[in-house]
Each structure stands twice: as C-alpha cells, then as structure tokens.
Amino acid sequence: MIDYNRLQQIYGDDKSYIAEMFETFLQDALPDFGLIPDFIVRQDWGSLAQLIHKVKPSLGMVGLSDLEEQLNEIEMRAKTNPNASQIEALWQSAQGDLEKAVIILRDTMTKF
C-alpha cells in the first residue's frame, strides 16, 4: 500500500523525516478527508474538487500513490461529469483504502 520507492525518491534514507511526514499527515491532513462525504451528500462538486485538490499532494508525500490516483479520479469526475452514485462508489473504495493506510502509517511510523 505504501509506495516505498516514492518515499526513497523524495526522502532518501532519512527515516526520521519520513516518520515526521507520516505524523504531519495524520495530524494535519487526515481530518480534511472527513469533509468529503458531506460534499458528496450535498452534491457540492466544486467544493469537493477543491478539497481533493488540496489534500491529494499529502497522499503522495507519505507514499500513498494509489490512493492519490483514486482521489484524482474523484476530482476529475467532480469537475467534468459529476454523477453522485459513481462518485459515492469511488469514495467508498478510497475511504476503505485510506482507513487501511492510516493503520499502516501509524504502525510504520513507530518502527522508524
């Protein structure tokens, strides 16, 4: 789930910095993901696209490349062809992956 090659490219072998980035993500960026379901329910596609655009880079910074791509798909659909049921299904999948990723990030962070 974590793209260790990407982390290596960004941070080299500096595991303490990677752990700091994980911690920053969990404290600062993760709460923003909780806003996504409300935007979907309200079908506020502009706000959804803006929020995803804001949080997407944080996923890459902690090696969650696949999740970053999933959110990119949601952002593009919100901007170009919003369909509530499709976006909801994409978010459900992404949310499940995010929940798994959070567990892995927390566990990995303590090992660095």
Side-chain angles (χ1 to χ4, degrees), residues 2-10:
I2 296 176
D3 184 349
Y4 288 101
N5 290 330
R6 186 167 185 181
L7 292 178
Q8 175 72 29
Q9 290 172 344
I10 298 171

Side-chain angles (χ1 to χ4, degrees), residues 28-109:
D28 298 339
L30 188 60
D32 288 337
F33 289 90
L35 302 172
I36 291 173
D38 185 51
F39 290 137
I40 294 171
V41 168
R42 293 185 317 182
Q43 298 186 16
D44 185 348
W45 307 126
S47 296
L48 176 64
Q50 282 182 320
L51 176 63
I52 288 176
H53 188 78
K54 173 186 162 193
V55 299
K56 207 171 37 173
S58 67
L59 294 167
M61 297 302 288
V62 294
L64 298 176
S65 303
D66 291 341
L67 193 52
E68 186 178 21
E69 287 302 313
Q70 287 177 282
L71 287 184
N72 188 55
E73 177 69 22
I74 296 170
E75 179 187 4
M76 290 301 106
R77 287 183 186 242
K79 287 180 176 179
T80 60
N81 187 21
N83 176 300
S85 61
Q86 289 176 350
I87 290 174
E88 173 67 28
L90 289 168
W91 170 243
Q92 290 300 317
S93 176
Q95 186 177 28
D97 289 347
L98 179 62
E99 290 169 2
K100 292 174 193 170
V102 166
I103 293 167
I104 293 168
L105 289 175
R106 286 186 175 135
D107 183 55
T108 303
M109 186 174 67

